[in-house]
Coordinates of all heavy atoms in Angstrom, one line a residue:
F25 N 18.9 -35.7 28.9 CA 18.0 -35.9 27.8 C 18.7 -35.4 26.5 O 18.2 -35.8 25.4 CB 16.7 -35.1 28.0 CG 15.6 -35.5 27.1 CD1 14.7 -36.5 27.4 CD2 15.4 -34.8 25.9 CE1 13.7 -36.8 26.6 CE2 14.4 -35.1 25.0 CZ 13.5 -36.1 25.3
F26 N 19.6 -34.5 26.6 CA 20.2 -33.9 25.4 C 21.5 -34.6 25.0 O 22.2 -34.0 24.1 CB 20.5 -32.4 25.6 CG 19.3 -31.5 25.6 CD1 18.5 -31.2 26.7 CD2 18.8 -31.1 24.4 CE1 17.4 -30.5 26.6 CE2 17.7 -30.3 24.3 CZ 16.9 -30.0 25.4
T29 N 21.1 -37.3 19.7 CA 20.4 -36.6 18.6 C 18.9 -37.1 18.6 O 18.0 -36.3 18.3 CB 21.0 -36.9 17.2 OG1 22.4 -36.5 17.3 CG2 20.3 -36.1 16.1
E30 N 18.7 -38.4 18.9 CA 17.3 -38.9 18.8 C 16.5 -38.3 19.9 O 15.3 -38.0 19.6 CB 17.4 -40.4 19.1 CG 16.0 -41.1 19.0 CD 16.1 -42.6 19.3 OE1 17.2 -43.1 19.5 OE2 15.0 -43.2 19.4
M31 N 17.0 -38.1 21.1 CA 16.3 -37.4 22.2 C 15.9 -36.0 21.8 O 14.9 -35.5 22.1 CB 17.1 -37.5 23.5 CG 17.2 -38.9 24.0 SD 18.1 -38.9 25.6 CE 17.8 -40.6 26.1
I32 N 16.9 -35.3 21.2 CA 16.6 -33.9 20.8 C 15.5 -33.9 19.7 O 14.6 -33.0 19.8 CB 17.9 -33.2 20.2 CG1 18.9 -33.1 21.2 CG2 17.6 -31.9 19.5 CD1 20.3 -32.7 20.7
S33 N 15.5 -34.8 18.8 CA 14.5 -34.9 17.8 C 13.1 -35.2 18.4 O 12.1 -34.6 18.0 CB 14.8 -36.0 16.8 OG 13.8 -36.1 15.8
Q34 N 13.1 -36.1 19.5 CA 11.9 -36.4 20.1 C 11.3 -35.2 20.8 O 10.1 -34.9 20.8 CB 12.1 -37.5 21.1 CG 12.4 -38.9 20.5 CD 12.7 -39.9 21.5 OE1 12.9 -39.6 22.7 NE2 13.0 -41.1 21.0
L35 N 12.2 -34.4 21.4 CA 11.7 -33.2 22.1 C 11.1 -32.2 21.1 O 10.1 -31.6 21.4 CB 12.9 -32.5 22.9 CG 12.5 -31.2 23.6 CD1 11.5 -31.5 24.7 CD2 13.8 -30.6 24.2
E36 N 11.8 -32.0 20.0 CA 11.3 -31.1 18.9 C 9.9 -31.5 18.5 O 9.1 -30.7 18.3 CB 12.3 -31.0 17.8 CG 13.6 -30.3 18.1 CD 14.6 -30.3 17.0 OE1 14.3 -31.1 16.1 OE2 15.6 -29.6 17.1
E37 N 9.7 -32.8 18.3 CA 8.5 -33.3 17.8 C 7.4 -33.1 18.9 O 6.3 -32.7 18.6 CB 8.6 -34.8 17.5 CG 7.4 -35.4 16.9 CD 7.5 -36.9 16.7 OE1 8.7 -37.3 16.5 OE2 6.5 -37.6 16.5
L38 N 7.8 -33.3 20.2 CA 6.8 -33.2 21.3 C 6.5 -31.7 21.4 O 5.2 -31.4 21.5 CB 7.6 -33.5 22.6 CG 6.9 -33.1 23.9 CD1 5.6 -33.8 24.1 CD2 7.8 -33.4 25.1
L39 N 7.3 -30.7 21.3 CA 7.0 -29.3 21.4 C 6.2 -28.9 20.2 O 5.3 -28.0 20.3 CB 8.3 -28.5 21.5 CG 9.0 -28.6 22.9 CD1 10.4 -28.0 22.8 CD2 8.2 -28.1 24.0
S40 N 6.5 -29.5 19.1 CA 5.7 -29.1 17.9 C 4.2 -29.5 18.0 O 3.4 -28.8 17.6 CB 6.3 -29.8 16.6 OG 5.6 -29.6 15.5
R41 N 4.0 -30.7 18.6 CA 2.6 -31.1 18.9 C 1.9 -30.2 19.9 O 0.7 -29.8 19.7 CB 2.6 -32.5 19.4 CG 3.0 -33.6 18.4 CD 2.6 -35.0 18.8 NE 3.1 -35.4 20.1 CZ 4.3 -36.0 20.3 NH1 5.0 -36.3 19.2 NH2 4.7 -36.4 21.5
V42 N 2.6 -29.8 20.9 CA 2.1 -28.8 21.8 C 1.8 -27.5 21.1 O 0.7 -26.9 21.4 CB 3.0 -28.6 23.0 CG1 2.5 -27.5 23.9 CG2 3.2 -29.9 23.8
E43 N 2.7 -27.0 20.3 CA 2.5 -25.7 19.7 C 1.2 -25.8 18.7 O 0.5 -24.8 18.6 CB 3.7 -25.4 18.8 CG 5.0 -25.1 19.6 CD 6.2 -25.0 18.6 OE1 5.9 -25.0 17.4 OE2 7.3 -24.8 19.1
E44 N 1.0 -26.9 18.2 CA -0.1 -27.1 17.2 C -1.5 -26.8 17.9 O -2.4 -26.4 17.2 CB -0.1 -28.5 16.6 CG -0.9 -28.6 15.4 CD -0.5 -27.9 14.2 OE1 0.7 -27.6 14.0 OE2 -1.4 -27.5 13.3
D227 N 14.4 -24.8 25.6 CA 14.2 -26.3 25.5 C 14.9 -27.0 26.6 O 14.4 -28.0 27.2 CB 14.7 -26.7 24.1 CG 13.8 -26.2 23.0 OD1 12.8 -25.4 23.2 OD2 14.0 -26.6 21.8
V231 N 13.2 -29.4 29.7 CA 13.6 -30.8 30.1 C 14.1 -30.8 31.5 O 13.7 -31.7 32.3 CB 14.7 -31.3 29.2 CG1 15.2 -32.6 29.6 CG2 14.2 -31.4 27.7
W244 N 4.9 -36.1 29.3 CA 5.4 -34.7 29.1 C 4.5 -33.9 28.3 O 4.2 -32.7 28.6 CB 6.8 -34.8 28.4 CG 7.9 -35.1 29.4 CD1 7.8 -35.6 30.7 CD2 9.3 -35.0 29.1 NE1 9.0 -35.8 31.2 CE2 9.9 -35.4 30.3 CE3 10.1 -34.6 28.0 CZ2 11.4 -35.5 30.4 CZ3 11.4 -34.6 28.2 CH2 12.1 -35.0 29.3
L248 N 2.9 -30.3 29.6 CA 3.2 -29.1 28.9 C 1.9 -28.4 28.5 O 1.9 -27.1 28.6 CB 4.1 -29.4 27.7 CG 5.6 -29.7 28.0 CD1 6.3 -30.1 26.7 CD2 6.3 -28.4 28.5
H278 N 8.1 -21.5 23.5 CA 8.9 -22.4 24.3 C 9.4 -21.6 25.6 O 9.5 -22.2 26.7 CB 10.2 -22.8 23.5 CG 9.8 -23.7 22.4 ND1 10.8 -24.5 21.7 CD2 8.7 -24.1 21.8 CE1 10.2 -25.2 20.7 NE2 8.9 -24.9 20.7

Side-chain angles (χ1 to χ4, degrees):
F25 194 90
F26 282 94
T29 303
E30 181 182 357
M31 289 179 174
I32 295 173
S33 177
Q34 289 174 358
L35 179 66
E36 290 175 349
E37 183 180 343
L38 164 68
L39 290 172
S40 178
R41 291 198 300 271
V42 172
E43 290 171 5
E44 193 67 29
D227 290 7
V231 173
W244 282 13
L248 285 171
H278 293 192

